[in-house]
Amino acid sequence: MDVNGRTSGIGGRRFASAGVSLAAAAMAVLLPVLRGGGSGALLLVAAAAGAAVNAAALWWAVTRRGLARAAAVLLAAATPAALIALAVAEDLLWPIALSWLLWGIAVWSGRYAVHSTGLRAAGMPEQRTDAPRRPFLVMNPRSGGGKVARFGLREKAERLGAQVVLLDPEQHQDVTALARAAVADGADLLGVAGGDGTQALVAAVAAEHDVPFLVVCAGTRNHFAMDLGLDRDDPAASLDALTDGVEVRVDLGFAGDHPFVNNASFGVYAALVRSPAYRDDKIGTVLDLLPDLLTHHRGPRLTARVGDTTLAGPQAVLVSNNPYRQDDPAGLGRRERLDSGLLGVLSVTVDNALQAAGLLGPEAEGLTVLTAHEAVIEADRTHVDVGVDGETLTMPVPLRCRIAPGALRVRVPKKRPGTRTAPRPPVRRRVNKRDAEPGNGPSGADQDTA
C-alpha cells in the first residue's frame, strides 16, 4: 500500500476511535439515567465524586502515619462500599458498573484518536547479514529463577558454536571486562542470557565496537526482549538468531556514562529500592518511607531540565530509551519502536490530596509526559539514587541522560512472535502549567508535530 493509502487507513482508524469514544461516553451517561431516572443520574455523580474522595484517601494513607493513616484507609475502603450499597438499594448496580466500563472505553478510545498519528511502518527496519563465526555469550544462572538451566540455554548455544561464560553466583564478575576481553579475542557477536541490567552493560561494549548484540530472554521481566518482539516464554528460541537471524539498529540510553536499554528512574522508587530494609520487608519499608519521601521530608528534591522545560520538585522521574505507549491500555509498559532517537520522560508531581485525585483525570495535572534528545537531573545534594534497568546505583548530579541513536546492532531471529506493524511516535510534548517554570515553554525543535 502506498503512503496515501496508509495515511488514509490511519485517519480512518482515528475517526472510528473518536466515534467509539463519543458513543461510549453517551451510553455511560444515558444508561443509569434510563434505568433509574433521577436516582441514576445522582448515583452517577456520586460515583464520580467517590472516585475523587477515594484517590484523596489513598494519598493520605501513604503520606500519614498512625491514626491518620488508619482513618484514611478506612475512608478509602468505606467510600466504594457505600456506593455499592446505594447502587444495590436502587437496583442500579449493574448499570453503574457498566457505565464505568463505558467511561473507560471512552477515555482510551479518545486517547487513541488523539495520539495515534504518523505513518505506520513494518516494524523496525531489518537487515540480512552473515551468521557470526565466533559468538560469545554471558549467562547468569540465577536470572529468571534459573531459566538458563531450565531451558538448556548453555547447551543449545554451544551446539550452535557459541562460547559461553556462565557467571558464578558466589562472586562478583565484571561482565563489561568479560565482553571487552571477548572482542579483543576475536568475538564477532556479544550476547547475554540474563536481566536487563546485565544486557545493558554488554550492549554498551557491543555498540562501542560495532559488533552485533544478542538478547536471550532469561531475565525476570525481559522488557527489552519484549519490545524487540522476542518470545519471552521460550528463551531458547532467541538463540535461533545465531544461525537464522537478521539485524535491527536500535538506540541506547545513557545516564551519565552508565548505559540502559529500558529506563533510568529517579526519586521515590529509587530511594525505596536503595533502602537496606527493602529486600527483606518490601511492604513495611514502603509504608515507613513513603510519608517522608512524598512530602519531601526525606530524600533529594529533584529538578529535571528537559529541553527548554524545567520541572521543579517532582517526586518521581522516569527517563526511558524511547517513549512508552500511552494511547492503548494493552500497550502500557511497551515501546512501539526502539529507533526513534528520542528519550521518553515521565514526571509525577503530587503535593496534596486534591492533586492526587486529579491524577484520575484524562489530563492529570501532576503528570507530565515529554520527549527529548537529553534530560538533565539536578538535586539539592551532590548524589542521588538511580534505578537503572532494575539495578540501583548512587550517581553524582547534575546527571545528563542522553540517547545514542542507532548505536546498537541487535541480532534477532527472523521469525519472532512480537513483530508487529508499528507507528513511528510523533515528537510530542505535553507540559502542565504547574510543572513548568514561566518562560520555559517547548522549543520549536521539540513541539508536537502530530
Side-chain angles (χ1 to χ4, degrees):
M1 187 181 291
D2 60 18
V3 170
N4 289 332
R6 287 196 297 268
T7 305
S8 299
I10 293 169
R13 283 188 292 272
R14 294 179 66 196
F15 182 80
S17 296
V20 169
S21 179
L22 290 173
M27 286 299 298
V29 173
L30 290 175
L31 185 61
V33 174
L34 292 176
R35 175 70 178 180
S39 296
L42 290 174
L43 193 55
L44 191 61
V45 173
V53 170
N54 200 255
L58 291 174
W59 168 259
W60 290 322
V62 298
T63 56
R64 301 291 190 273
R65 292 188 174 90
L67 290 177
R69 171 177 284 172
V73 170
L74 182 62
L75 178 61
T79 301
L83 289 171
I84 291 173
L86 287 172
V88 170
E90 297 291 336
D91 194 23
L92 289 172
L93 182 60
W94 73 262
I96 291 296
L98 185 56
S99 175
W100 275 100
L101 177 61
L102 288 168
W103 272 118
I105 294 172
V107 170
W108 285 111
S109 298
R111 287 175 65 86
Y112 182 85
V114 171
H115 294 298
S116 184
T117 57
L119 289 179
R120 286 188 174 266
M124 294 174 287
E126 299 176 353
Q127 181 179 355
R128 298 179 67 91
T129 59
D130 294 333
R133 296 183 178 182
R134 299 190 62 183
F136 173 86
L137 274 70
V138 174
M139 295 190 175
N140 185 347
R142 284 188 172 178
S143 289
K147 288 182 179 179
V148 170
R150 192 160 70 249
F151 289 91
L153 301 181
R154 179 180 186 178
E155 293 77 10
K156 180 174 181 177
E158 290 178 339
R159 285 198 306 270
L160 296 176
Q163 178 187 355
V164 177
V165 170
L166 203 63
L167 297 178
D168 186 348
E170 302 302 324
Q171 63 179 2
H172 171 75
Q173 291 171 274
D174 189 338
V175 295
T176 298
L178 289 173
R180 285 181 173 152
V183 173
D185 196 38
D188 59 354
L189 176 141
L190 299 176
V192 173
D196 291 327
T198 305
Q199 287 175 8
L201 294 174
V202 178
V205 178
E208 177 185 346
H209 294 278
D210 196 32
V211 300
F213 178 65
L214 177 68
V215 177
V216 183
C217 321
T220 301
R221 296 178 180 86
N222 301 293
H223 289 296
F224 188 48
M226 175 178 67
D227 294 330
L228 288 168
L230 301 178
D231 187 349
R232 295 186 295 169
D233 296 325
D234 184 9
S238 304
L239 293 169
D240 293 341
L242 291 173
T243 55
D244 187 27
V246 293
E247 284 187 16
V248 293
R249 280 273 184 182
V250 304
D251 308 330
L252 190 60
F254 287 87
D257 295 327
H258 200 93
F260 60 89
V261 293
N262 291 323
N263 56 59
S265 61
F266 305 83
V268 171
Y269 174 75
L272 288 172
V273 176
R274 189 67 173 176
S275 171
Y278 182 79
R279 185 176 298 274
D280 296 325
D281 184 12
K282 291 181 173 61
I283 295 177
T285 304
V286 169
L287 292 175
D288 180 55
L289 296 182
L290 270 185
D292 289 337
L293 290 172
L294 292 176
T295 56
H296 298 293
H297 291 113
R298 182 169 181 167
R301 187 174 184 88
L302 300 175
T303 299
R305 304 191 186 279
V306 186
D308 293 330
T309 300
T310 298
L311 305 172
Q315 281 99 339
V317 178
L318 183 76
V319 180
S320 59
N321 174 21
N322 283 258
Y324 288 104
R325 292 186 64 175
Q326 303 172 59
D327 60 348
D328 180 3
L332 288 176
R334 302 192 67 164
R335 293 162 289 183
E336 285 284 9
R337 307 189 68 92
L338 294 169
D339 61 348
S340 71
L342 291 168
L343 296 170
V345 181
L346 188 150
S347 168
V348 178
T349 306
V350 182
D351 292 326
N352 53 55
L354 182 61
Q355 290 168 5
L359 288 177
L360 294 175
E363 294 295 331
E365 188 176 343
L367 179 67
T368 304
V369 181
L370 309 171
T371 58
H373 297 289
E374 73 171 41
V376 178
I377 307 299
E378 300 173 353
D380 58 352
R381 56 191 62 187
T382 59
H383 290 73
V384 295
D385 294 326
V386 188
V388 183
D389 281 345
E391 304 291 333
T392 306
L393 309 170
T394 299
M395 305 181 75
V397 288
L399 183 65
R400 175 176 173 251
C401 298
R402 62 183 177 86
I403 196 162
L408 184 62
R409 299 164 55 190
V410 181
R411 189 169 179 86
V412 294
K414 287 181 184 176
K415 296 181 179 180
R416 51 198 192 279
T419 305
R420 61 198 184 281
T421 300
R424 291 185 179 273
V427 180
R428 185 180 300 279
R429 295 170 65 89
R430 191 178 82 217
V431 182
N432 295 295
K433 293 180 180 180
R434 70 174 305 280
D435 292 316
E437 293 183 351
N440 286 323
S443 65
D446 284 334
Q447 288 180 5
D448 188 349
T449 60

